[in-house]
Structure formats: structure tokens, C-alpha cells
Amino acid sequence: MFKKIALLATSVLAFSVATPAVAADSLLDRINNKGTITVGTEGTYAPFTYHDGSGKLTGYDVEVTRAVAEKLGVKVEFKETAWDSMLAGLKAGRFDLVANQVGLTTPERQATFDKSAEYSWSGAMLVARADETRINKPEDAKGLRAAQTLSSNYGELARKYEAQIVPIDGMAQGLKLLQNKQADLTFNDSLALLDYLKKNPESGLKPFWESSDKIGAGLVANKGNDEALAKISQAIVELREDGTLKKLGEQFFGKDISVK
């Protein structure tokens, strides 16, 4: 009996010693130990995150993340995820960070997540079919069908202007719905929309409004990762100072988007 109790005590002690090692495998530990960090991204949101002609995942946010990882001496593994499940996946621990033009603009997001220093600045734009006659300003979206991801800043904007929301997985799907007359308009990032319109001059779509307000995007993590985000932010500052962010902005947009 005493032998069994001793063995049980030894097992409990071994478990109690091993448990903190598992719990300590945090984002900060992976950075400090030069390990691998996992990053959620859409992969369908050009030119921020998309697949090029060869099938390679690339885009401004993707390449900025790779440059940050190189600065930190870590490897990066991207996990492609639909936008509306991305922040939920981050909260659930499916990945360490999100790189997908995320702005923490709502109280709900600010209560749950933190972000690094900004690596890009852009504003909202409203796009509709070129023959649309009902829209001159965002207030005209009231009662019209807006193709939006439900949990995005742009979905919030459409709701603010009392549009009827048509749920979508991402911008590309929303633009298709406009062309097929299954939606009347969409709000989205001006840089992404202008890039699409430039690459697709026969799309039949055009911008009707653009906000003068700029929103900053950074790498987003769950609350409680202050030290890890400080290291990531320092890497972003260094990438801005050494001209890497400017170079990537010019590669994907023809201009530096890392400054407000």
C-alpha cells in the first residue's frame, strides 16, 4: 500500500513539474527560443494577402510578417482562414497572430486583442456598379444591399449607414455579387479596391466615396502578450527605419503605405 502511495505521489509530482513547461510554451517563448510562430491570414485579399500566379502565398501583409519573422530570427507558418472566423480562431489559440489589415476599432476587439506598431495606413471606400444612380455618398447606402464580411470594420460601417447586409467570406466574393446584381454596394479598404479596379478595368465597377480618415493595421495577438508584441513592434520600427516597409509598399502599391 505504501509503495502504491509513493508511486502515486511521484506521478503527481512529475505531472506538476511538467505542466508549467507546457503552459510556458507561449508566443514570447517561441520568439525567445527562435521557434515557429503561426499567423492567420485570408490568402484571398489582394494585394495584402493572396496567391500569385505560381500559387505562392504573398502580399504586403504576408511579406511584412516574413520580414518581421526574419528580424526576430523565428520561422513563420501561415494558416489561411476566412475573415469572419479569423479573430475567433486567434482567440481560441489556433494561431499566435493575425496579419490581415486588422484595425482594433471596436470596444469588443480592444477588450480581447492587442496589436503591434502599425505597418500600414489606409481608409474606407464605397464601390458599386458604374451605372448605379442611387449613390453619391455613404449615407445613400441606407436600405441598399451591402456585400460585407460580418465582423469586419467595413461591415460595421455598412451597419452604421443602415445598409442591408449581404454576408460574404471576403472582398473578392463581394465584388462578384455586385457584378451579378446580387448586391448594390460594398465598403472595403481603398488600397485593395483601387488595386482590383486597376487590374480589372472592365469590371463594370467604380468608387463612389472614399474616407479621408486613415486606420492603422498591425499584427494582432490575444491580450496578455505585451512582451512579445513589444519585440514585434521593435522589429516593425526597424523595418520602417531601414526602408524595408517602404520597399514593400512600392512593390505592392507603388507607394509607401507605412506612414500616415
Side-chain angles (χ1 to χ4, degrees):
M1 176 63 74
F2 290 114
K3 185 176 181 180
K4 288 183 179 179
I5 293 173
L7 287 172
L8 178 60
T10 301
S11 298
V12 171
L13 178 61
F15 178 76
S16 65
V17 170
T19 300
V22 174
D25 188 19
S26 65
L27 174 57
L28 180 62
D29 290 316
R30 284 191 283 283
I31 291 174
N32 288 340
N33 296 329
K34 309 299 182 184
T36 299
I37 59 175
T38 55
V39 179
T41 194
E42 276 183 282
T44 59
Y45 190 32
F48 297 109
T49 164
Y50 67 101
H51 290 264
D52 64 17
S54 70
K56 176 189 174 184
L57 179 66
T58 188
Y60 182 78
D61 285 46
V62 171
E63 300 306 333
V64 167
T65 304
R66 286 180 174 141
V68 168
E70 185 176 354
K71 277 277 185 188
L72 296 174
V74 301
K75 296 178 182 178
V76 59
E77 177 188 349
F78 290 99
K79 294 190 175 183
E80 294 178 51
T81 309
W83 167 257
D84 277 332
S85 60
M86 193 173 298
L87 291 180
L90 176 61
K91 185 177 179 180
R94 285 178 51 211
F95 22 79
D96 299 311
L97 300 166
V98 161
N100 210 96
Q101 285 297 295
V102 181
L104 301 183
T105 57
T106 66
E108 293 78 15
R109 287 187 190 177
Q110 292 164 5
T112 308
F113 308 108
D114 284 324
K115 71 178 175 67
S116 69
E118 290 84 0
Y119 55 71
S120 69
W121 293 88
S122 60
M125 178 176 279
L126 186 161
V127 163
R129 289 184 298 278
D131 61 0
E132 178 61 69
T133 59
R134 296 169 292 177
I135 301 172
N136 290 300
K137 56 188 183 299
E139 289 81 4
D140 296 332
K142 183 176 181 178
L144 299 182
R145 299 169 299 169
Q148 308 293 157
T149 49
L150 297 176
S151 60
S152 68
N153 298 338
Y154 306 109
E156 291 289 337
L157 192 60
R159 282 188 283 272
K160 172 186 173 182
Y161 289 115
E162 300 181 62
Q164 177 186 339
I165 304 298
V166 178
I168 58 172
D169 292 329
M171 187 184 80
Q173 182 188 10
L175 297 175
K176 283 290 185 186
L177 292 183
L178 289 185
Q179 293 169 322
N180 296 336
K181 298 186 177 181
Q182 294 172 280
D184 303 309
L185 61 101
T186 189
F187 290 96
N188 214 296
D189 182 272
S190 60
L191 294 171
L193 288 170
L194 289 173
D195 178 72
Y196 172 85
L197 295 172
K198 179 181 178 181
K199 292 176 178 175
N200 299 273
E202 305 302 320
S203 67
L205 306 175
K206 76 171 191 178
F208 283 79
W209 168 82
E210 181 176 359
S211 173
S212 58
D213 294 330
K214 302 282 186 177
I215 297 174
L219 289 166
V220 174
N222 288 315
K223 288 279 189 185
N225 285 287
D226 294 355
E227 289 184 69
L229 282 175
K231 289 177 178 287
I232 291 168
S233 293
Q234 182 58 38
I236 289 172
V237 169
E238 291 174 10
L239 291 170
R240 185 181 298 113
E241 291 174 346
D242 69 17
T244 300
L245 295 186
K246 180 175 185 290
K247 181 180 178 181
L248 289 173
E250 290 171 346
Q251 176 184 340
F252 289 101
F253 303 99
K255 62 179 181 179
D256 184 4
I257 65 167
S258 69
V259 291
K260 194 171 182 178

